[in-house]
Amino acid sequence: QVQLVESGGGLVQAGGSLRLSCAASGRTFSNYAMGWFRQAPGKEREFVAGIRRSGDITSYGDSVKGRFTISRDNAKNMVYLQMNSLKPEDTAVYYCASDIEYSAVRRSPRYWGQGTQVTVSS
């Protein structure tokens, strides 16, 4: 089992920034690929960012490329999502996710956090 807990969400004006954090426990963190997803009311879940276990390779959804950055600190069992130049359409619940397989992180990750709300005002 892997437990994931997100934090750092809140209300921000368009053009502002937020940094989300995800704390992991239950297994050796460095063995897992990590990712971030988001879901707005009435919309499907959307892949935001992914990172391999070593942190050497990352991937991003088209809508956030150039604005969001995913990173991890294996010594602290933490993964982060730095969100810059936020837009109202970024408003959603953001979820941390994890899987042994990097490819699975972008599709159907095995483990999920409870989510944290991000609201971007106009």
Side-chain angles (χ1 to χ4, degrees):
Q1 293 291 325
V2 174
Q3 291 79 46
L4 306 172
V5 180
E6 304 95 334
S7 62
L11 175 65
V12 64
Q13 293 188 56
S17 299
L18 283 175
R19 187 196 191 207
L20 305 184
S21 299
C22 176
S25 63
R27 292 289 187 271
T28 302
F29 179 72
S30 60
N31 288 342
Y32 288 81
M34 304 294 297
W36 289 94
F37 290 77
R38 66 186 184 186
Q39 188 165 24
K43 296 185 178 181
E44 295 184 355
R45 183 188 67 194
E46 178 185 14
F47 172 75
V48 175
I51 188 167
R52 293 179 69 179
R53 61 184 67 183
S54 65
D56 59 333
I57 298 177
T58 58
S59 60
Y60 297 92
D62 290 340
S63 63
V64 305
K65 287 182 178 178
R67 299 188 298 121
F68 292 9
T69 302
I70 187 172
S71 62
R72 67 189 298 161
D73 187 338
N74 289 346
K76 297 180 179 179
N77 292 354
M78 297 288 290
V79 63
Y80 307 97
L81 184 68
Q82 179 67 45
M83 305 184 295
N84 298 327
S85 302
L86 284 163
K87 306 174 181 179
E89 51 263 43
D90 294 320
T91 296
V93 176
Y94 283 70
Y95 298 91
C96 180
S98 179
D99 203 289
I100 290 291
E101 300 290 337
Y102 180 60
S103 60
V105 165
R106 302 201 304 273
R107 296 185 292 104
S108 300
R110 186 176 300 271
Y111 303 105
W112 293 84
Q114 294 299 304
T116 185
Q117 177 71 46
V118 173
T119 302
V120 184
S121 62
S122 300

